[in-house]
Amino acid sequence: MGNVLIIDDDQTIRDALARVVTRLGHAPQMAATLSEGLRRAGDKDVDVVFLDVRMPDGNGLDAISDIRRTPSNPEVIVITGWGDPDGAERAMRQGAWDYIEKPPSVKTMTAPLVSAMEHRCRGRDAAKPVSSFHFTGIVGDNAKRAQCLDQAAKAAPSDVNVLLTGPTGAGKELFARAIHDGSPRRDGAFVVVDCAALPAGIVESVLFGSEKGVYTGADRRREGVLLRAHGGTLFLDEVAEMPLSVQKAFLRVLQERRVRPVGGLEEAACDFRLVAATNQDLPEMVRQGMFREDLLFRLQGVSIELPPLAGHPEDILEFADHFVVEAADRLGVAPRVFSEDFSRALLAYPWPGNVRELKNTMDGALALAGGDKVLLPVHLPLHIRVCVARNRVSARAAAATAAPWPMAGGLPLAASLPPFREFRDKGEAEYLRVLTGRFSGDISRMLDVSGLSRSRLYALLKKHGLSATGT
């Protein structure tokens, strides 16, 4: 028997779902608001959550990550009377198990619940835990990154091809190395090929090798990088940059596991595990004829989309602390602590270069700190301090000049009375602008004053496109 939490403001839907859950031998719990649902999910051992989208106190899609982050890490089945393709995609990308539209039938409610419960049971009964997977250099506490780590841990012991996607600097090579280190090929070579840096004109020679005299300057036989990965892992970084003319030949190597050097007659065995990475939209490139569809199908045995740092403030300080400790160990110096102003500056910056930019920034900050035992904003690069200062001033100016609806007695005039949802959302956004402008990144004070939980505060900030520092 499992535990199922139903989060829906419609009593009729809650009762109908509860009957289905009970009939299948599980125990239903019910919540009429998101806040109550999040509290119940955190307090109880929950296997599956049925989650409505349009709730009185927010958008259910914004709560998926918070629900998945609770101790029991339940599966989330989204139910909505306002289904749309964008909402479905957003739900699935945040880790939802399924997305069904109201009014749900017994069949549409039963099928995903049964499959989710079976998945939970298999996970509990699994003989080999994924805790043996090593996440070298990979930290972060958001649900999306945890989902990526879980996918990588499950993929590592097999030989399946893995495609890592996400913005530049999101840590794709770190994930590739972790997958290699957690695989049976860990004692073999980990060969990195940056497809964007392959020399034009001799790409095939670099990949497949070449015989002596096959082109001008080829004074000896050269072994290709694919053969160097034999018995190990080949990491193709920026795979979208691989020339179309080479993609067909590479696809053949993947299929046959044999490679023939340019100008050669004999083939050699070439057995490697493939992990590829890109920050490009490969399906769109396929539609434009810029990437082979059959190669894409080969690459995405398991697809893992890594999240950016933007929108995940809970990760920034954890990564920053990790990188400072790592750099201090490397330099043989004592780690530094962060001042409050330093932490606020890190949280206020959008980090367009993601994890890589943050790592380089922390390396530089430690170097500039010299004998200082505490890291201060002055130890950050000038462009970061300028960006933070500009955003802070802009946010406060916007909050000061924001024009509310015509008011009378604390409420909008009847002639200008907006729909309730619009009024509530505008009030939420205005409250958060004042809150973040007044306390400028001091999360503890913001939580004390607002009475919100940390996860709810971050969810509301994300909903209204704001940051903890008012940017």
Side-chain angles (χ1 to χ4, degrees):
M1 183 180 79
N3 296 315
V4 179
L5 174 61
I6 302 163
I7 306 175
D8 198 305
D9 60 337
D10 188 326
Q11 179 72 49
T12 303
I13 295 294
R14 291 201 304 271
D15 290 343
L17 285 167
R19 286 193 294 271
V20 172
V21 169
T22 302
R23 193 177 303 127
L24 291 172
H26 305 302
Q29 305 171 49
M30 292 185 277
T33 64
L34 279 178
S35 57
E36 182 186 2
L38 284 167
R39 178 178 60 77
R40 287 182 178 273
D43 293 343
K44 302 284 187 179
D45 183 15
V46 178
D47 294 292
V48 176
V49 174
F50 280 102
L51 175 65
D52 189 19
V53 173
R54 297 200 173 188
M55 297 291 289
D57 54 343
N59 188 319
L61 298 181
D62 293 333
I64 294 176
S65 295
D66 290 332
I67 293 171
R68 295 278 291 164
R69 197 183 294 123
T70 56
S72 52
N73 187 28
E75 304 299 340
V76 178
I77 300 172
V78 175
I79 50 174
T80 177
W82 305 87
D84 71 273
D86 290 341
E89 178 179 350
R90 182 180 170 197
M92 304 312 284
R93 288 187 179 279
Q94 293 190 72
W97 181 266
D98 206 347
Y99 182 95
I100 58 179
E101 294 185 67
K102 295 179 181 178
S105 66
V106 173
K107 181 178 179 180
T108 58
M109 290 186 288
T110 301
L113 176 57
V114 169
S115 62
M117 281 296 186
E118 289 177 348
H119 174 75
R120 298 279 292 187
C121 290
R122 285 194 298 270
R124 283 193 289 263
D125 296 338
K128 184 177 180 180
V130 298
S131 58
S132 59
F133 188 72
H134 299 290
F135 309 114
T136 306
I138 305 173
V139 296
D141 191 37
N142 76 73
K144 175 61 178 174
R145 199 176 306 279
Q147 182 185 5
C148 293
L149 293 172
D150 182 60
Q151 288 178 288
K154 291 175 178 175
S158 71
D159 245 4
V160 65
N161 296 335
V162 178
L163 177 62
L164 301 169
T165 60
T168 298
K172 294 187 283 293
E173 185 169 344
L174 285 176
F175 267 79
R177 287 185 181 275
I179 290 170
H180 170 72
D181 291 341
S183 76
R185 296 173 178 265
R186 64 179 65 88
D187 294 329
F190 179 79
V191 178
V192 180
V193 177
D194 184 353
C195 295
L198 290 173
I202 58 170
V203 174
E204 293 190 28
S205 297
V206 173
L207 291 176
F208 310 133
S210 61
E211 296 292 342
K212 179 179 178 180
V214 72
Y215 58 86
T216 304
D219 55 354
R220 58 186 175 87
R221 187 180 188 276
R222 294 180 181 273
E223 181 183 60
V225 294
L226 300 189
L227 279 177
R228 295 176 199 164
H230 181 68
T233 299
L234 175 69
F235 176 51
L236 287 183
D237 198 11
E238 303 296 347
V239 69
E241 302 297 329
M242 181 182 286
L244 268 172
S245 59
V246 179
Q247 290 178 25
K248 183 176 181 180
F250 181 70
L251 179 63
R252 184 178 180 278
V253 173
L254 285 181
Q255 293 169 338
E256 304 296 333
R257 297 297 175 178
R258 301 186 68 82
V259 63
R260 178 187 296 142
V262 177
L265 299 176
E266 296 184 1
E267 294 182 335
C270 190
D271 176 34
F272 54 80
R273 199 272 180 80
L274 176 63
V275 180
T278 182
N279 60 1
Q280 302 295 317
D281 185 343
L282 290 184
E284 180 59 29
M285 293 182 67
V286 167
R287 285 190 287 272
Q288 296 178 9
M290 301 169 62
F291 199 85
R292 291 182 65 97
E293 185 176 40
D294 48 4
L295 178 55
L296 175 59
F297 292 155
R298 281 279 179 173
L299 296 180
Q300 55 187 12
V302 171
S303 295
I304 302 176
E305 183 179 0
L306 306 187
L309 277 180
H312 298 288
E314 66 272 26
D315 281 355
I316 294 173
L317 295 183
E318 188 173 352
F319 267 109
D321 183 67
H322 171 81
F323 291 142
V324 162
V325 171
E326 187 180 67
D329 287 345
R330 190 170 58 248
L331 297 174
V333 299
R336 304 299 197 270
V337 298
F338 300 172
S339 69
E340 288 190 14
D341 287 344
F342 186 85
S343 296
R344 281 199 289 268
L346 294 181
L347 292 170
Y349 185 64
W351 298 106
N354 292 291
V355 177
R356 183 184 301 145
E357 182 184 13
L358 179 56
K359 181 182 187 305
N360 292 335
T361 297
M362 299 314 297
D363 287 348
L366 188 64
L368 291 177
D372 293 340
K373 296 182 179 179
V374 177
L375 292 179
L376 304 168
V378 71
H379 299 137
L380 291 170
L382 179 60
H383 72 276
I384 291 180
R385 288 184 283 136
V386 168
C387 177
V388 171
R390 288 181 61 89
N391 288 343
R392 185 187 305 121
V393 173
S394 298
R396 287 177 176 168
T401 59
W405 287 290
M407 304 289 282
L411 292 172
L413 295 173
S416 63
L417 195 65
F420 171 76
R421 192 179 299 277
E422 182 182 347
F423 179 68
R424 184 200 65 200
D425 288 348
K426 186 175 179 69
E428 279 182 357
E430 188 62 29
Y431 179 89
L432 292 170
R433 287 192 191 96
V434 174
L435 183 71
T436 55
R438 181 172 299 175
F439 299 108
S440 188
D442 189 338
I443 299 295
S444 297
R445 290 286 291 132
M446 292 166 69
L447 295 177
D448 289 342
V449 170
S450 68
L452 296 168
S453 67
R454 185 178 295 268
S455 61
R456 183 61 180 154
L457 175 61
Y458 283 143
L460 288 172
L461 291 171
K462 184 176 181 181
K463 172 184 175 182
H464 295 290
L466 301 171
S467 83
T469 54
T471 57

